[in-house]
Amino acid sequence: MKIDSVELRELSVRLRFRFETSFGVEQDLRKLLVTVRSGDLEGYGEVTAGNEPGYSYETTDTAWVALERYIVPRLLGRDVATPAELLALVGAIRGHNMAVAAVETAFWDLQAKAAGLPLWALLGGVERPIPVGASIGIQGSVAETVAMAERHADQGYKRLKFKIKPGWAVEPLRAVREALPDMPLSVDANSAFRLTDARVFQDLDELGLDYIEQPLAHDDLVDHVKLQAMLATPLCLDESVHSPEDARKALELEAGRVINVKLGRVRGHLASRRVADVALAFGAPVWCGGMLELGVGRAHNLHMTSLEAFTLPGDTASASRYWDEDIVEPLLEAKDGYQSLPQGPGLGVTLKRDLIERLTTRRIHLGGDAAA
Ligand code: OSB
Ligand code: MG
């Protein structure tokens, strides 16, 4: 498929809640939407970076520059047959995985539309209900945390994940466990602790959590190995895994026993599938992480989760939990804790163009007819 043109748009959107993690607070988000055009077809991708380099060094601004200056120029006018070929064309670009993933996932959408197949089928997934959980930010009090937990459990979510940080971990989780004795629970520290904080994790180890996500440094495996050896609860790696090779090394060392797969963090669908394959070979469960996505990113997450290796509930909760209005139709809503795979060719969602136009704060059209 010839890559005729690529459009980048920045959208300004406001989350329905203040999302506090160990790395900061997010609510007013700047999101990038990427449209890749080939002939009459369009594929869509979303950049999953945040406004600030708190979770990753990538941000909305770095992704814009990486796409405009380095990634898109290598693709324009090229005839690309497969996602692997597209990745080879940008293979000299180190890092910037979230920026690359936005065009790589858009290309998959384009190819699935050209083939008349839903994206999940092209990825080799199975059509099935997708169990999802909710990721709950740091709250102002233990009582509010328990109330949030009960509300999301009532809504049918299959697993509740709580953000923790030094000074906010054991007390809120003990209270949630007391209120919901049988609920699958997990915590996510987003790299905020050090090995010398092992005591916190030994206390959490008593609560029967499904896993403890990224307790230690974003670039660490060695200390995670030491911590994992001290605990019965599996560690889950998020920030430490950027490629199938990272996943292989982490699982070989036993730096963790579960992997959170995020399309943006690992460079797109092909890499996500390979990470999932590596995990399967080690018998390690994987699940699909969330990055507070709009409808395009949310739909990509659901299609990826159709792969059989994804055995634990992901973070792709109902769109209405995040947004007053989402940018795609149909609205991707969970019922009783299950999302369904969008139907139709490609992503299976259509863009709400008027809404997107209203939310757009900047736009650039690269290649093709520059006036379009
Ligand atoms: O660590 O999983 C994370 C959001 C932004 C950055 C990092 C993370 C998250 C979440 C939210 O946990 C998941 C979601 O509800 O989309
Ligand atoms: Mg995480």
Side-chain angles (χ1 to χ4, degrees):
M1 309 195 68
K2 185 156 164 289
I3 308 291
D4 292 323
S5 69
V6 175
E7 183 192 83
L8 310 181
R9 270 177 194 266
E10 179 176 322
L11 311 181
S12 169
V13 291
R14 187 170 171 83
L15 268 181
R16 293 188 59 211
F17 49 86
R18 174 184 179 281
F19 189 60
E20 181 173 344
T21 65
S22 65
F23 61 83
V25 176
E26 301 182 272
Q27 184 152 29
D28 289 299
L29 304 179
R30 296 164 50 208
K31 297 277 189 183
L32 299 186
L33 191 63
V34 175
T35 303
V36 177
R37 296 196 174 92
S38 179
D40 296 337
L41 294 175
E42 289 188 344
Y44 309 116
E46 185 175 324
V47 172
T48 59
N51 299 2
E52 300 279 328
Y55 165 80
S56 159
Y57 67 85
E58 288 192 84
T59 67
T60 304
D61 288 314
T62 70
W64 183 284
V65 171
L67 282 160
E68 182 183 358
R69 299 271 300 272
Y70 311 124
I71 299 166
V72 176
R74 285 171 161 84
L75 303 174
L76 286 177
R78 303 300 293 257
D79 202 352
V80 181
T82 63
E85 238 179 81
L86 181 141
L87 290 170
L89 290 170
V90 298
I93 298 168
R94 179 174 295 177
H96 299 283
N97 283 358
M98 295 179 187
V100 172
V103 283
E104 196 262 9
T105 56
F107 184 75
W108 276 94
D109 180 26
L110 201 56
Q111 280 210 310
K113 284 169 178 162
L117 290 171
L119 179 53
W120 64 261
L122 196 62
L123 288 167
V126 286
E127 196 177 17
R128 58 181 174 114
I130 306 293
V132 291
S135 174
I136 295 173
I138 292 167
Q139 305 294 308
S141 68
V142 170
E144 284 169 85
T145 310
V146 171
M148 284 290 272
E150 284 173 335
R151 179 147 62 83
H152 285 85
D154 286 346
Q155 288 168 3
Y157 285 110
K158 300 294 179 216
R159 175 274 284 144
L160 305 178
K161 158 174 138 180
F162 296 85
K163 294 293 186 177
I164 58 170
K165 63 177 180 180
W168 183 263
V170 179
E171 203 197 338
L173 265 292
R174 274 200 186 123
V176 170
R177 176 48 86 211
E178 201 167 308
L180 299 169
D182 302 319
M183 185 76 196
L185 303 176
S186 68
V187 293
D188 186 358
N190 288 111
S191 313
F193 293 86
R194 310 183 59 157
L195 192 56
T196 48
D197 299 312
R199 182 60 207 261
V200 172
F201 300 103
Q202 288 171 319
D203 287 347
L204 289 173
D205 210 19
E206 307 291 309
L207 300 178
L209 305 179
D210 281 14
Y211 48 83
I212 294 169
E213 186 172 339
Q214 198 72 33
L216 308 178
H218 72 97
D219 54 357
D220 171 72
L221 292 179
V222 173
D223 283 354
H224 281 91
V225 173
K226 294 182 185 168
L227 184 61
Q228 180 66 89
M230 300 168 68
L231 303 174
T233 308
L235 297 184
C236 169
L237 296 173
D238 176 350
E239 285 90 330
S240 290
V241 174
H242 298 272
S243 65
E245 273 296 83
D246 284 353
R248 192 264 301 163
K249 291 170 189 171
L251 293 170
E252 203 173 305
L253 292 170
E254 222 177 324
R257 298 182 183 139
V258 176
I259 305 243
N260 167 338
V261 183
K262 290 182 181 168
L263 284 166
R265 204 189 65 233
V266 306
R267 225 174 228 231
H269 280 299
L270 191 60
S272 291
R273 199 166 69 182
R274 289 179 178 159
V275 169
D277 283 345
V278 167
L280 210 52
F282 280 90
V286 303
W287 56 279
C288 174
M291 290 292 285
L292 311 169
E293 286 91 348
L294 289 166
V296 167
R298 200 165 294 279
H300 275 295
N301 284 348
L302 293 175
H303 286 285
M304 176 175 79
T305 310
S306 72
L307 297 176
E308 282 167 300
F310 287 75
T311 52
L312 293 174
D315 273 343
T316 310
S318 289
S320 64
R321 178 175 178 257
Y322 303 83
W323 316 110
D324 286 330
E325 286 183 286
D326 200 351
I327 61 167
V328 304
E329 277 166 334
L331 198 61
L332 302 172
E333 293 287 278
K335 287 180 198 70
D336 284 328
Y338 289 97
Q339 289 265 17
S340 43
L341 288 164
Q343 294 300 311
L347 274 181
V349 295
T350 57
L351 298 187
K352 292 186 186 169
R353 294 184 190 270
D354 291 349
L355 174 64
I356 290 171
E357 203 54 51
R358 272 190 279 127
L359 298 174
T360 298
T361 56
R362 59 172 165 163
R363 183 177 94 111
I364 187 171
H365 199 261
L366 304 164
D369 174 7

